[in-house]
Amino acid sequence: LIQGVVDWFLNPDVTFTASVRSGLRPYSFRQILDENPYVADTSLVIDVPYDIVDLQVGVVVHPHARLTATAALRLQQRDRHPVWRDAGAGMFNIGYHRATVVRLPAQLRWIISGADVLTADIEMVSATVAEYDVLPYQPSLRAALVSDRTWAPGIASTVRLVYVGDRWADLANTASLSGYIDLQAAVRYDITPLWQASLEARNLLGSDIVLWNGYMERGLFVNASVLWRF
């Protein structure tokens, strides 16, 4: 493993960063299932991705105590990159190919007040697979707008609006999945220092969300929970 990081503080409001990495990345059975639970276990092969080069440069701008903006450019050249393929019967195989991924992430964080924080994220991605075309299941655009609010001590809420762009569902780039918008909301209440109650709702707009080819995600979903810390 080779890794290096450099930070350059141009002035109190601007910081430039750069990092480079080359080496193996851990990849486990648990990571595979977390990513895609519909894996065809009879043909599952676990390999170790190798970053030929992972280069990232970025800038952090902090013009005001309540405002922070970040932007970056990341280039990844990877061997044995995991690629999902349709195995039929609603299952998926995983293969490993050389891939080139260019990412352009940016974030704007605004502390409106002591009780309100607004965060906007966007990421544009160009990902290609050697001997093929665009990397399957990789959207070219992701964006999110998140509002966090503290209503009172121990009572907080989060509203999140997420956009995920179109994706290809095969290496030949003949099957595609439409983009979608997911509106989410959550409320948390600290009953005591040891007990917390929460209520979460997803897909409030009832969007047609397909993460994996052939599987439509549920519509409006509400989840209530109680957490006990001990």
Side-chain angles (χ1 to χ4, degrees):
L1 174 66
I2 301 174
Q3 187 170 357
V5 178
V6 175
D7 292 332
W8 176 33
F9 299 94
L10 180 63
N11 58 53
D13 298 329
V14 180
T15 302
F16 290 97
T17 65
S19 66
V20 63
R21 183 188 188 281
S22 181
L24 299 175
R25 284 193 180 273
Y27 197 56
S28 66
F29 179 65
R30 178 175 180 177
Q31 286 175 280
I32 291 174
L33 289 183
D34 285 344
E35 184 178 354
N36 185 348
Y38 311 112
V39 61
D41 56 354
T42 56
S43 59
L44 177 62
V45 175
I46 301 178
D47 207 340
V48 181
Y50 173 70
D51 285 334
I52 301 171
V53 62
D54 185 348
L55 175 65
Q56 179 168 302
V57 293
V59 60
V60 180
V61 181
H62 194 61
H64 190 274
R66 295 180 179 272
L67 189 64
T68 303
T70 64
L73 168 63
R74 184 178 184 182
L75 170 63
Q76 295 172 283
Q77 182 77 39
R78 177 178 290 178
D79 199 14
R80 302 191 296 273
H81 183 84
V83 178
W84 291 101
R85 294 175 294 183
D86 195 335
M91 304 299 287
F92 296 86
N93 287 328
I94 187 169
Y96 299 88
H97 299 264
R98 177 166 294 196
T100 301
V101 183
V102 179
R103 301 179 183 273
L104 292 169
Q107 182 186 85
L108 181 65
R109 179 178 173 84
W110 179 25
I111 303 176
I112 302 173
S113 67
D116 292 281
V117 178
L118 190 64
T119 306
D121 290 281
I122 188 170
E123 183 181 53
M124 293 175 285
V125 179
S126 173
T128 56
V129 180
E131 302 177 2
Y132 293 96
D133 202 341
V134 178
L135 180 68
Y137 295 102
Q138 174 61 64
S140 60
L141 178 63
R142 291 178 182 266
L145 185 63
V146 182
S147 174
D148 292 296
R149 180 173 176 80
T150 300
W151 297 89
I155 304 177
S157 66
T158 299
V159 177
R160 179 180 290 106
L161 183 65
V162 179
Y163 171 75
V164 176
D166 296 347
R167 294 138 290 149
W168 292 110
D170 61 345
L171 280 168
N173 290 177
T174 58
S176 63
L177 304 178
S178 298
Y180 61 86
I181 295 175
D182 186 6
L183 178 60
Q184 308 167 7
V187 178
R188 298 169 299 281
Y189 173 46
D190 293 330
I191 305 170
T192 72
L194 299 179
W195 290 88
Q196 183 187 73
S198 62
L199 182 66
E200 181 181 13
R202 292 177 175 268
N203 199 6
L204 288 166
L205 299 178
S207 301
D208 292 335
I209 299 176
V210 179
L211 301 181
W212 299 102
N213 192 27
Y215 288 94
M216 177 78 73
E217 293 293 294
R218 56 199 170 196
L220 172 62
F221 175 75
V222 178
N223 177 61
S225 63
V226 176
L227 175 64
W228 176 34
R229 304 183 184 94
F230 61 94

